[in-house]
Amino acid sequence: MSYTDDILDHVRKNNSEQPEFCQAVQEFVDSLTPVLEKRPDYRKAKILERMTEPERVVMFRVPWIDDAGEYQINRGFRIQFNSVLGPYKGGLRFHPTVNLSILKFLAFEQTYKNALTTLSMGGAKGGSDFDPKGKSDAEVMKFCQSFMTELYRHIGQYTDVPAGDIGVGLREIGYLFGQYRRLENEFSGVLTGKSVNWGGSLIRPEATGYGAVYFAGEMLAHCGRSLEGKTCVISGSGNVAQFTAKKALELGATPITFSDSNGYIYDPDGIDAEKLRFVMELKNIRRGRIQEYSERYPSASFYPDARPWDVPCEAAFPSATENEIQLADAERLVANGVEVVAEGANMPTTPEAVDALQRAGVLFGPGKAANAGGVATSGLEMSQNSMRLSWTEDEVDGRLRQIMRQIHQAASQAAEEYGYSGNYVAGANIAGFTKVADAMLDQGLV
Ligand code: NDP
């Protein structure tokens, strides 16, 4: 058995109930063989063995009272995976599917994504199986306050700085921050994704979607093409999906789909700026379902319980959740002529689907690289908080664009150097891994 097979075997045995975590580790380790052959010092220092074990896992009870006066109990988590490059950093997810496996995979990925941004941030993730859908504002506030009443003792501006993710947006970050400030009697940059009225950064809400589009643009530009004029299939209709659509429109591309967990809408006439405003109002203010789009715009159809990958397109932006593009979806995308896929979501494409896309010559940007714009801009929010000043929209967007360009360059150079030319999955894994591994060597056995 090879060294990497040994590692994977050990990870699978030790985490047998955690399929998403094992999938993320396998996808990562599979790219590293040539690096490990060139650098025996990594193996000697047991870098991979240490990297696959979180530094700390916190699990806790979250009790709260709903509007009917019933007691409710949820489970809360914070996975502090690796802090060798800086304070732990990564989002909080509130969704009924949240469990230890999903959060460990997300925290693991986050470590290497954060390394790629070139900013000083370790990797973490957290959240709860709480479902904000259908809850009143008062219920969401009570839940957030109870969640923070435990979490606050494990985080801090120099220790761990959480952000949003699925189910955690401006409203939730506001309630979480308020409770932290009250408990610690301190106003500090302990969370990112804050409102610009009280310490947030301009462009942070936009950053993940914008970054995914910039990354797709970099991959296309690298081979003399551009996004202009391309039709874009987008899944999800939340934060990442909305701002992916906005930037795609700005760059002359045409978004044609959105989805949520009930199905997808397909608008062959294109989703223009006015229709996008409707979606933002529907999802962010009225908290409605995407099906309403097809009721408002007769050019569109709604497909229940389905994902949008059958719709012919040149660019695809999976922006909802993990494992949403499976092998058959990838084959369909290829048959319909897709040229570029950029992952706005984390691990939305299964390993078999990634293989199929890459074999067909599709430019494929993995989440670790393509959606790193969100956390990069969170890093910029932390810098502004520490300096107690706010940069302009143009300044933050300029830095975001520059960071996405650097991530593209780092991933493509690492791929080239290790014989994986054009493979951004391997390139991003290797560039992230070597940065974290070298820092771990420098800091000794901890
Ligand atoms: P939001 O909560 O704003 O939106 C999530 C969207 O995905 C909703 O439309 C939701 O539909 C849909 N969705 C969620 N779970 C499922 C599911 N199991 N099946 C089908 N649809 C689903 O989250 P974000 O836009 O912030 O996050 C989307 C993805 O991007 C996630 O993978 C996240 O980890 C990743 N990401 C987010 C970053 C950020 O800055 N926000 C940064 C980097 C990555 P419904 O309303 O029906 O649940």
Side-chain angles (χ1 to χ4, degrees), residues 70-218:
E70 287 287 320
Y71 288 12
Q72 299 288 341
I73 312 294
N74 285 94
R75 185 175 281 179
F77 303 85
R78 186 70 179 164
I79 318 297
Q80 298 179 328
F81 219 113
N82 194 315
S83 60
V84 77
L85 293 181
Y88 302 108
K89 181 93 198 88
L92 296 172
R93 178 178 288 192
F94 292 168
H95 195 272
T97 56
V98 161
N99 59 38
L100 192 56
S101 173
I102 288 184
L103 294 182
K104 276 178 68 182
F105 118 65
L106 288 164
F108 181 78
E109 290 265 306
Q110 193 80 47
T111 303
Y112 306 97
K113 181 189 305 189
N114 293 1
L116 284 171
T117 66
T118 70
L119 304 176
S120 172
M121 298 180 290
K125 202 83 186 186
S128 172
D129 57 359
F130 172 75
D131 187 359
K133 268 204 287 291
K135 304 284 191 304
S136 69
D137 282 354
E139 288 175 323
V140 170
M141 182 175 74
K142 281 185 267 183
F143 174 81
C144 287
Q145 291 179 339
S146 180
F147 183 84
M148 186 52 88
T149 300
E150 173 59 34
L151 186 69
Y152 88 101
R153 64 187 96 241
H154 308 290
I155 62 175
Q157 59 173 328
Y158 302 114
T159 314
D160 184 352
V161 182
D165 190 72
I166 292 178
V168 179
L170 263 183
R171 173 182 61 170
E172 290 76 15
I173 292 289
Y175 295 147
L176 290 163
F177 185 84
Q179 185 72 351
Y180 181 86
R181 185 173 56 76
R182 181 187 193 191
L183 290 165
E184 283 289 11
N185 191 26
E186 168 185 300
F187 193 112
S188 63
V190 69
L191 291 165
T192 58
K194 301 185 290 298
S195 163
V196 285
N197 284 336
W198 42 272
S201 174
L202 290 164
I203 302 293
R204 175 61 191 94
E206 292 86 346
T208 307
Y210 279 18
V213 176
Y214 290 150
F215 196 84
E218 289 294 327

Side-chain angles (χ1 to χ4, degrees), residues 239-250:
N239 171 273
V240 179
Q242 292 169 17
F243 289 107
T244 294
K246 183 155 187 247
K247 185 52 74 179
L249 275 173
E250 278 174 29

Side-chain angles (χ1 to χ4, degrees), residues 91-97 105-106 110 113 125 131-133 163-169 204-209 235-242 258-263 283-284 287-290 306-307 318-322 324 343-348 367 370-375 378:
L92 296 172
R93 178 178 288 192
F94 292 168
H95 195 272
T97 56
F105 118 65
L106 288 164
Q110 193 80 47
K113 181 189 305 189
K125 202 83 186 186
D131 187 359
K133 268 204 287 291
D165 190 72
I166 292 178
V168 179
R204 175 61 191 94
E206 292 86 346
T208 307
S235 67
S237 48
N239 171 273
V240 179
Q242 292 169 17
F258 276 125
S259 71
D260 61 23
S261 45
N262 295 110
K283 298 303 284 190
N284 308 345
R287 301 188 187 274
R289 311 305 300 155
I290 201 64
R307 294 184 296 249
S319 312
T321 193
E322 52 276 355
E324 52 167 322
E343 292 188 323
N346 285 308
M347 210 166 74
N371 71 35
V375 72
S378 277

Side-chain angles (χ1 to χ4, degrees), residues 396-417:
V396 182
D397 194 26
R399 284 175 196 261
L400 167 64
R401 196 181 273 250
Q402 178 63 20
I403 289 171
M404 295 316 293
R405 198 168 293 143
Q406 285 168 347
I407 294 175
H408 175 270
Q409 206 169 19
S412 80
Q413 273 170 6
E416 193 78 44
E417 186 183 340

